[in-house]
Amino acid sequence: MTRPFNFSAGPAAIPEEVLTQAAAEMLDWHGSGMGVMEMSHRGKEFLSIYAQTKADFRALMAVPPEFKILFMQGGGLGENAIVPLNLSRGGKIDCVVTGSWSQKSQKEARKYAQVHIAASTEASGYTRLPDPASWDLSSDANYVHICSNETIDGIEFQTLPDLQALGSKAPLVVDFSSHVASRPVDWSKIGLAFGGAQKNLGPAGLTVVVVREDLLGHALDICPSAFNYETVADNQSMYNTPPTFAIYIAGLTFQWLKHQTEGDLHGIAAMEQRNIAKAELLYSAIDQSQLYFNKVDADCRSRMNVPFFLRDESRNDAFLEGAKARGLLQLKGHKSVGGMRASIYNAMPLAGVQALVDYMHAFEKSQA
Amino acid sequence: MTRPFNFSAGPAAIPEEVLTQAAAEMLDWHGSGMGVMEMSHRGKEFLSIYAQTKADFRALMAVPPEFKILFMQGGGLGENAIVPLNLSRGGKIDCVVTGSWSQKSQKEARKYAQVHIAASTEASGYTRLPDPASWDLSSDANYVHICSNETIDGIEFQTLPDLQALGSKAPLVVDFSSHVASRPVDWSKIGLAFGGAQKNLGPAGLTVVVVREDLLGHALDICPSAFNYETVADNQSMYNTPPTFAIYIAGLTFQWLKHQTEGDLHGIAAMEQRNIAKAELLYSAIDQSQLYFNKVDADCRSRMNVPFFLRDESRNDAFLEGAKARGLLQLKGHKSVGGMRASIYNAMPLAGVQALVDYMHAFEKSQA
């Protein structure tokens, strides 16, 4: 039986191979007599899973040795507080607002830091990215925050800003929750990156934080110990009990990613090529249609989250019902934006996007 | 094949029926075409799991309607900060220190509150509970914190203190992580209770918080939104993406608990009877032996976590090796205490404790 195609924005589709292996090992992991959920996080079985998962992420994402990889809890919204608690030093930070997520981040950061909005596209309705050359960066910011892929608005930085070239000495903080592992990352431009796992890495309840070592050790006194990056790093992400099963599923996902190929490419490079092909297929179907449209400037459209609208919104429910009948699930847009949204993360094959495009054509034709 | 018996202190054994069902539903939950991990937390499928899980916990634990049930992240160590951020109002709190966990709690609370130690058994090496009549309770405390079961030290409150009868008007905060759902709870004595799920409720990465409504709305300004109880309550535990799969496993565990019976008893009452029988079997084997001993006063020994020592510590490794060979896993004591620890949570059947006792007899005999 073919599984339906699941376009959820997160929690989102997991590769079938990952789920199959997790099911097979549920009661007995590698002859240990225990399922992964039942293992002490300090036992040799789980420690081996943890070490492999961390090493695989480092290798896949080419994370340089001067960065620590932390497995935490609380998701992106948790990090909106945890980042300024650890990095703001109670002083100034620069925020670039390009959609719903970076908007939430700057609001939360105001509890702990003096927030300066270096650029915002709110007035445009979040349909474009502000040119970095125009950003009003502070000379004394402790960091600059961006969201490199806005899940709700469907906007993605195609290249990260080079803060040094823009005259800022601050480290760049990147919320890459919804496109992590979909493309290579230029770590030379980054001080810290964080992402909830539930889009491209695994299940909800795990947050991956990648932080340059020199940024550790400056947390505010009011930072909870469980969310102090230095404490978490010093304890190998086991200061508090980590979300062990979520880490295991992320690890299986990394194994799956390692084995993906496109021509001569493998791993993240292969995923990027596949993701480009998926996004081009979907956006060109939208752009060529009379019924569907997308509001985002072409040069910053997200490869992962594709919001689109029907020109006749009264047909929304019919569109969704027909999609579901064809096994195309969770296409309803975010409540704050409306319309439709197709999230086409790594686990979505090209065949799934093709099935969606075929359905969109057929639906449009049936409306004529 | 019989599964080994897993005595881990947490993450800990999960009922086999729960794991079997989770494995069977991993790729397709109830014909939805999605695994639970892949569902949007805002879709009707997951919302039905969430509602059932919450309702089952309320029914099983007889949680009165004036209490909110919250599903959060960060574990017990996270709550050590989150509780004072929400309830201390920046003023005074009373802490009762009876072991490693309540010790950690009071230390962390000092970041946010003026901590008064109302009682401590540190001098006794945490082998007894202080008589509540002797507690030095403050007239102006915003809450009184206890850990009702000390996982590392093996100490349990057999009845909760009645603060009102002791002359305190403060609400009681209870860390019940390691014995939640093992016995009924007297909610009339409680303002807030919290527990990490990874002992008796499910997998690591989920924290259950039960809080009386009148205690909401007093968080400090510096409380992260994702950990503000009122925000979490107002958003049905979905302000940030909840740990959906962990909630689902907890829900399956609650279903399993509902169906447990002992004679005329069912649910938590049945579990309590079974847990009493398990604990009596193990403690009496320890007390009657010449080789093993437990240091805790008989009236406050934990039914869940049974630390014990060999009088000849040079035999520790041999004891553990022999246990493993018999399928008795994860018996090594906490590194801060040494010796052995058998955690015999709800998922541990009487047969598992019997197998441990049989092995302990045989091992002792072999040493004679």
Side-chain angles (χ1 to χ4, degrees), chain A residues 120-196:
Chain A
S120 170
T121 55
E122 189 176 7
S124 84
Y126 302 133
T127 56
R128 60 183 189 82
L129 281 179
D131 179 1
S134 73
W135 295 1
D136 178 30
L137 296 169
S138 311
S139 58
D140 54 349
N142 286 298
Y143 64 87
V144 178
H145 176 105
I146 67 167
C147 174
S148 53
N149 187 71
E150 292 277 1
T151 324
I152 291 176
D153 309 279
I155 292 177
E156 185 173 15
F157 280 82
Q158 300 303 327
T159 52
L160 291 176
D162 184 341
L163 293 188
Q164 229 170 348
L166 296 169
S168 168
K169 286 176 187 141
L172 181 67
V173 169
V174 181
D175 172 359
F176 64 3
S177 293
S178 51
H179 72 159
V180 55
S182 73
R183 59 194 300 159
V185 168
D186 181 353
W187 294 103
S188 73
K189 292 177 176 168
I190 290 181
L192 180 145
F194 67 83

Side-chain angles (χ1 to χ4, degrees), chain B residues 158-232:
Chain B
Q158 301 304 328
T159 51
L160 291 176
D162 183 342
L163 292 188
Q164 229 172 348
L166 296 169
S168 168
K169 285 177 189 138
L172 181 66
V173 169
V174 181
D175 173 358
F176 65 2
S177 293
S178 52
H179 71 160
V180 54
S182 74
R183 58 193 300 160
V185 168
D186 182 353
W187 294 102
S188 73
K189 292 176 175 167
I190 290 181
L192 180 145
F194 68 83
Q198 69 269 19
K199 284 93 161 64
N200 247 347
L201 303 183
L206 169 66
T207 319
V208 177
V209 176
V210 185
V211 56
R212 220 173 54 210
E213 278 171 339
D214 63 288
L215 298 176
L216 299 174
H218 304 288
L220 301 178
D221 291 342
I222 55 168
C223 181
S225 304
F227 304 117
N228 180 313
Y229 293 139
E230 187 179 37
T231 304
V232 176

Side-chain angles (χ1 to χ4, degrees), chain B residues 29 91 111 229 240 307 347:
Chain B
W29 181 85
K111 293 179 180 170
Y229 293 139
N240 58 352

Side-chain angles (χ1 to χ4, degrees), chain A residues 1 3-4 6 8-16 18-20 22-24 26-28 32-45 72-78 81-82 85 101 104 108 111-112 198-199 202-207 221-228 239-246 249 324 329-330 334-335, chain B residues 1 3-4 6 8-16 18-20 22-24 26-28 32-45 72-78 81-82 85 101 104 108 111-112 198-199 202-207 221-228 239-246 249 324 329-330 334-335:
Chain A
M1 191 195 82
R3 297 186 84 211
N6 177 357
S8 176
I14 308 261
E16 187 169 347
V18 168
L19 295 175
T20 302
M26 183 66 88
L27 281 88
D28 185 7
S32 66
M34 301 178 281
V36 174
M37 257 184 269
E38 307 179 289
M39 293 173 181
S40 167
H41 53 300
R42 306 204 184 277
K44 69 176 165 47
E45 294 87 357
M72 299 183 64
Q73 299 179 51
L77 287 176
I82 296 168
L85 278 163
W101 277 94
K104 283 184 193 176
E108 182 79 0
K111 293 180 180 171
Y112 315 103
Q198 69 269 19
K199 282 92 160 69
L206 169 65
T207 318
D221 291 342
I222 54 168
C223 182
S225 304
F227 304 118
N228 181 313
Y239 174 73
N240 57 352
T241 309
T244 51
F245 194 77
I249 296 289
K324 192 169 178 187
L329 306 182
Q330 307 204 86
H334 190 271
K335 60 185 177 200
Chain B
M1 191 194 81
R3 298 186 83 211
N6 177 358
S8 175
I14 307 260
E16 188 170 346
V18 168
L19 295 175
T20 302
M26 184 67 89
L27 281 90
D28 185 8
S32 67
M34 301 177 281
V36 174
M37 256 184 270
E38 307 179 290
M39 293 173 182
S40 167
H41 53 302
R42 305 202 185 278
K44 69 177 167 46
E45 295 86 359
M72 298 182 64
Q73 299 180 53
L77 287 175
I82 295 168
L85 279 164
W101 277 94
K104 283 184 192 176
E108 182 78 2
K111 293 179 180 170
Y112 315 104
Q198 69 269 19
K199 284 93 161 64
L206 169 66
T207 319
D221 291 342
I222 55 168
C223 181
S225 304
F227 304 117
N228 180 313
Y239 174 73
N240 58 352
T241 309
T244 51
F245 194 76
I249 296 291
K324 192 169 179 185
L329 306 182
Q330 307 203 88
H334 190 271
K335 60 185 179 201

